Amino acid sequence: MSSLADRLATVIGIPVVPYDAGGAVDHGLVTALARRLVAHGVRVLTPNGNTGEFYALTPAERRAVLTSVCAAREPGTTIVAGVGFDLGTAAEDARFARDAGADAIMVHQPALPYLAAAGWVEYNAAVAAAVPELGVLPYLSTTAVRGQHIAELARRAPNVVGLKYSVPDPVVFATTAAEAGDGLLWIAGLAESYAPAYWQAGARGFTSGLVNLAPALSLALLDALRRDDREAATAVWRRIRPFEELRARDRSAGNVSVVKEAMHQRGLCRREVRPPSHVLSETGAREVSDAISPWLGEIPALTVA
């Protein structure tokens, strides 16, 4: 598990799920886009993450997406499969991920309006127990779960190697990490926007949807953070900030739509998303075009040597 944690301390790419003209998942393109990421240096992929429209896919589609992404792996690629929903479904999908060749699972925060911290511990401990062979990364985006709850989960589930932490408050993150104690890997789950601030408080990796478009930018930010080169990290952060602000607008309503619109403009996939997401307006599409125009040359084509 310590070796796995070392591999996860990087840019964790969350692949989009492209659809064909009829609205079905285009699995050939799922694999091709994942191969493009791997070819351009992305070593960890999380199929069935939020940028992959996890909650808009059917159970069969989620499993097929995982299989398609696994088909793109090369030696050195680490696959972290997203699982969630009710406890039984999460455990079943975790076992499917294990059998499909995933290295770890990312457990989505339970989509329940009434979440108790002790219940969060129970839920994640039960999912982790279903696949003791795999590493487990719970996804946390609520302040209801504090450091002591995370420490309790780590005691009960030794295959919990870290957390994807997505509370948009660096001070809360620093406090929570300190309360949880040592031994866990912390992933900045709010992507490049929060990666520098969370790095200062102990995060050693970050998730990314931007990586679907321009992997070199995400990897450049990681490199600058690892070298403690604040000037270089800030330069990358400023370049991508307009794009990430579009994704975060209106409580992240365009999180996936903005990424897919940009990819569509560069000929990588169709722009369609499934409800409750929505395609961008013409004005939104122009804003995306303006945001990515400074780094068009750093967006690789789909076909790579």
Side-chain angles (χ1 to χ4, degrees):
M1 292 300 168
S2 61
S3 173
L4 175 62
D6 290 341
R7 286 151 50 200
L8 295 174
T10 185
V11 175
I12 299 180
I14 317 294
V16 302
V17 172
Y19 304 120
D20 62 23
V25 176
D26 186 337
H27 286 288
L29 190 51
V30 170
T31 301
L33 289 172
R35 284 182 176 143
R36 172 179 170 272
L37 290 174
V38 171
H40 288 279
V42 181
R43 296 290 174 255
V44 181
L45 298 177
T46 297
N48 294 322
N50 282 334
T51 307
E53 297 179 76
F54 174 78
Y55 291 100
L57 302 179
T58 68
E61 286 175 330
R62 294 196 305 271
R63 293 185 174 194
V65 164
L66 170 60
T67 301
S68 296
V69 172
C70 284
R73 74 185 308 163
E74 294 182 357
T77 304
T78 299
I79 302 294
V80 184
V83 304
F85 293 100
D86 64 275
L87 181 54
T89 298
E92 289 177 7
D93 282 355
R95 287 187 283 266
F96 180 88
R98 175 197 62 199
D99 296 342
D103 303 278
I105 56 171
M106 185 272 291
V107 186
H108 284 271
Q109 182 169 291
L112 192 71
Y114 312 113
L115 183 147
W120 179 88
V121 173
E122 292 282 350
Y123 178 84
N124 282 281
V127 177
V131 284
E133 312 93 334
L134 297 186
V136 177
L137 282 172
Y139 185 129
L140 185 60
S141 60
T142 176
T143 57
V145 177
R146 303 302 300 271
Q148 63 265 32
H149 305 115
I150 295 166
E152 173 63 19
L153 174 61
R155 285 192 292 270
R156 293 180 55 176
N159 53 332
V160 170
V161 297
L163 277 90
K164 175 182 174 180
Y165 196 80
S166 300
V167 173
D169 188 325
V171 175
V172 171
F173 165 60
T175 302
T176 302
E179 291 175 348
D182 299 329
L184 291 173
L185 169 69
W186 295 90
I187 300 295
L190 293 169
E192 287 84 353
S193 292
Y194 281 80
Y198 278 46
W199 192 276
Q200 297 304 313
R204 287 298 174 262
F206 57 89
T207 59
S208 177
L210 167 72
V211 78
N212 288 280
L213 192 64
L217 289 175
S218 301
L219 294 170
L221 178 58
L222 175 70
D223 178 66
L225 292 172
R226 285 176 169 174
R227 292 186 288 106
D228 196 26
D229 188 338
R230 297 188 181 185
E231 183 176 350
T234 300
V236 177
W237 185 87
R238 287 175 174 167
R239 294 187 71 200
I240 64 179
R241 185 61 184 160
F243 182 79
E244 291 299 305
E245 285 180 341
L246 291 177
R247 297 182 66 203
R249 180 186 293 175
D250 298 329
R251 298 182 65 184
S252 299
N255 184 296
V256 183
S257 305
V258 167
V259 174
K260 278 193 168 180
E261 174 61 38
M263 295 177 73
H264 172 74
Q265 292 182 16
R266 304 309 299 164
L268 296 171
C269 70
R270 300 176 65 88
R271 59 165 56 94
E272 285 81 6
V273 292
R274 288 183 180 175
S277 295
H278 196 274
V279 295
L280 300 182
S281 64
E282 290 185 8
T283 299
R286 287 194 297 271
E287 290 179 314
V288 169
S289 180
D290 291 342
I292 68 175
S293 62
W295 29 276
L296 288 182
E298 295 169 78
I299 302 176
L302 180 59
T303 301
V304 292

